[in-house]
Amino acid sequence: MALATTTALTLTTLSACGGSDSGSDSKSLEMWTFKQSHVGALRAAATEFKKETGISVKVEVYTPDDAYTTKVQSAAKTNGLPDVLEVHSDGEDFVLGAAGVTADLQDQVPDAWSGRFQEAIKGSGTVTPQKFKESQAKDSTFKGVEEGQRFSVPLTAGTFGIVYANKRKLADAGITKAPATWEEFLAAVEATHHKDPKTGGISLGLKVKSTGLTWVLQPLAFAQLGKQAYWDLFGKDKAGDFGSANGTKVLSMYDQLTPYWMPGTQTLSIDEADQAFAQGKSAFAVGGTFTLAFLQQNDMKADDVFAFGLPAPKGGAVPDRALGPLALTGLSLTATSEQPENAKKWMEFLSGTDVAARFAKESADLPATELGADSAKVLGPALTAMIESFDGTGETTYDPSLNDFRPPGYDQDVAGEVLTNLSPLGRETPAQTGAKLRELNSDYWATQ
C-alpha cells in the first residue's frame, strides 16, 4: 500500500490539527486524489453534485503516489487538509485513521448507502477482527485502530489477472475473438508470437516479484485444482503442496508461457510492462482492471483491446472460474473537515448508480457500486467483460483477498522470485521449483 511505515510514524502525532481551508465557505468542499485517470470523472460528478445540492467540490490531483503521500503529510502538519481524500482501500485508510488524520465513520454509513456497493466489498474500510489482529503486530503501520472502526467507503473496485490482447495483432495472426480457455489462450499467444517473435509475446511487470505468482499462477492453479487443492499447495502436508504431483502440474502449466514472454519482461516494472503493450511491443499484457485507464493514458483505446479474466483450463476442476473483486480505492473524510455532513453527502453521491456508471465510463475504471444488468449499455465491451469476470459463486471464485490458508508471515515476493527462475528465466524445472516452494513453505510453518 502507498503509505509506508515512515508515513505512519510521521502522521501519528498530527491528529489535533485544525480545520480545512474549505471551511471559509459553507457551500464549498475540497477533495484530493492520487489518480490522474479519476480527475475528469470526479470533476464531472462535482458539476452534477452542485446542480443537485448547491455545494461545489474542488477536485485536485497529486501524483505519483509518493508525491501524494508527501502532500498529505505536509497538509496535516500545516492545517491544510481537504475535506475528502481518495485513499488506497484497506491499508492507507487505516494508516491515516490510526494517525487521526481521517474520521471514524463507524455507524455513519447506513445500509441504504453501503448496500449500493458490490457485496464482496461493502464493508471495505472497516477494521475487521483480522485487520485488528494485524494492527497488533510490532511493525504495524496502523497500530492503535479499534475493531469496528471505519475509515473509508469504497470508490473503485477491481481485481488482478486481467489479460489485455491487442486486437490488431490477433487479427494479423488470424484470431478475431478473445480466448475462452487456457488452451485457447496458449494457442493465441503461440500464433501472435509466430507471426512476430519480437513483438508478439506477453508483457508483465515481473520486476515486482509477486506478479507472476499472484496474477497468473494462483488463479490458474485455483481453476485447475479447485479451491481446497489450491489451498493445499501452501499447506504443511507434502501430499498436496507445491512439491506434490498437483504442484508440479500447475507449475508445468505456468511454464507453458516461457517461450512467449516479451524479452526482458523480468526487468520491467508494472507501468513499464503496460507501456510496452500500449506501444505495440507485446501482443498481450497481464494486469488488473485498473490497467485499462493506464493504457488509455498511453494512447491505446478500449476498442483496441480484448480484456478478459485469465482463462481457466478446459479440463480443470473449475472451468468456469471467476475472479473475486477487491476494493481498490476509497473515500475518507478528514478529521479536520469543517463540513463533515456536506462531505459525506458528496461521498454518498459518488456511490449512486448513475453517477458511478458515468464515473466508470469517464475514467475507464470499475466503480465499487453494483451497476446492475444494464451496465453494458453504458460501459462498453472492455469494462463489461471485466465486470463479467466477477460472476461466480463462493466455490468457483478465486478470491485474492483470502490468504489465511498460507503460513503466517508468508512473503509473496520471495515465492515470486523462486517462480521467476522457472519462468521466464528457465533456470529450473517445475519439479525443482516445486521443491524450493515446498522448502519455503516449510520454513514459514516451522516458525509458528
Side-chain angles (χ1 to χ4, degrees), residues 51-130:
K51 288 179 183 176
E52 189 172 304
T53 65
I55 302 169
S56 63
V57 183
K58 181 181 179 183
V59 178
E60 296 290 345
V61 60
Y62 300 96
T63 63
D65 283 9
D66 287 348
Y68 186 69
T69 299
T70 301
K71 179 69 177 177
V72 172
Q73 288 178 314
S74 175
K77 294 176 182 176
T78 59
N79 192 26
L81 286 167
D83 300 280
V84 177
L85 293 169
E86 184 169 4
V87 295
H88 292 277
S89 296
D90 299 319
E92 182 181 21
D93 45 1
F94 297 151
V95 174
L96 293 171
V101 172
T102 54
D104 179 9
L105 297 172
Q106 186 178 21
D107 300 326
Q108 297 189 58
V109 183
D111 291 345
W113 183 357
S114 64
R116 296 173 178 175
F117 300 126
Q118 297 175 47
E119 182 65 27
I121 59 169
K122 62 194 310 181
S124 172
T126 302
V127 182
T128 62
Q130 178 61 35

Side-chain angles (χ1 to χ4, degrees), residues 98-353:
V101 172
T102 54
D104 179 9
L105 297 172
Q106 186 178 21
D107 300 326
Q108 297 189 58
V109 183
D111 291 345
W113 183 357
S114 64
R116 296 173 178 175
F117 300 126
Q118 297 175 47
E119 182 65 27
I121 59 169
K122 62 194 310 181
S124 172
T126 302
V127 182
T128 62
Q130 178 61 35
K131 287 295 181 183
F132 178 71
K133 184 178 179 181
E134 292 175 18
S135 76
Q136 305 299 297
K138 185 177 180 180
D139 59 349
S140 172
T141 56
F142 50 100
K143 190 181 291 291
V145 298
E146 297 177 6
E147 188 174 330
Q149 286 184 309
R150 181 168 197 158
F151 294 111
S152 74
V153 291
L155 175 65
T156 62
T159 195
F160 312 112
I162 299 294
V163 182
Y164 295 85
N166 183 314
K167 285 184 179 179
R168 181 182 58 77
K169 286 182 179 290
L170 264 65
D172 289 346
I175 301 166
T176 56
K177 64 178 183 178
T181 65
W182 175 254
E183 292 77 10
E184 289 185 14
F185 175 49
L186 288 174
V189 179
E190 194 281 332
T192 56
H193 190 264
H194 178 75
K195 184 71 178 179
D196 187 345
K198 290 185 177 179
T199 67
I202 312 167
S203 57
L204 172 58
L206 288 169
K207 185 177 180 180
V208 180
K209 304 297 185 186
S210 63
T211 53
L213 176 75
T214 58
W215 298 8
V216 179
L217 177 66
Q218 290 182 178
L220 174 64
F222 181 98
Q224 175 62 28
L225 303 178
K227 182 193 288 186
Q228 185 59 56
Y230 161 67
W231 289 356
D232 290 345
L233 293 174
F234 301 86
K236 300 177 182 177
D237 189 347
K238 293 183 179 180
D241 71 5
F242 272 109
S244 70
N246 273 348
T248 301
K249 183 174 182 61
V250 294
L251 289 167
S252 297
M253 295 176 74
Y254 181 76
D255 191 34
Q256 291 174 313
L257 295 176
T258 299
Y260 309 121
W261 291 113
M262 173 187 162
T265 195
Q266 72 274 11
T267 67
L268 300 179
S269 68
I270 293 170
D271 282 355
E272 289 170 339
D274 294 340
Q275 196 167 43
F277 174 72
Q279 293 172 343
K281 296 178 181 177
S282 65
F284 295 84
V286 184
T289 53
F290 45 83
T291 302
L292 184 61
F294 183 85
L295 296 178
Q296 290 198 159
Q297 287 176 342
N298 285 273
D299 301 323
M300 195 170 204
K301 299 176 183 176
D303 288 342
D304 295 334
V305 301
F306 291 120
F308 51 95
L310 185 82
K314 188 165 52 177
V318 192
D320 56 346
R321 188 227 52 229
L323 298 170
L326 302 167
L328 297 181
T329 71
L331 302 171
S332 291
L333 170 68
T334 58
T336 52
S337 172
E338 294 185 356
Q339 302 178 67
E341 295 307 315
N342 285 345
K344 283 185 287 185
K345 284 181 184 177
W346 163 242
M347 293 160 67
E348 186 172 2
F349 177 80
L350 289 172
S351 71
T353 304

Side-chain angles (χ1 to χ4, degrees), residues 356-407:
R358 289 193 291 272
F359 173 90
K361 187 175 182 180
E362 178 80 18
S363 66
D365 207 347
L366 297 182
T369 298
E370 178 63 61
L371 296 182
D374 294 333
S375 61
K377 297 177 182 176
V378 178
L379 301 182
L383 287 170
T384 299
M386 290 192 282
I387 290 178
E388 289 174 348
S389 73
F390 300 157
D391 189 15
T393 67
E395 289 302 309
T396 64
T397 299
Y398 166 74
D399 184 347
S401 70
L402 290 179
N403 295 307
D404 55 0
F405 52 88
R406 294 173 173 163

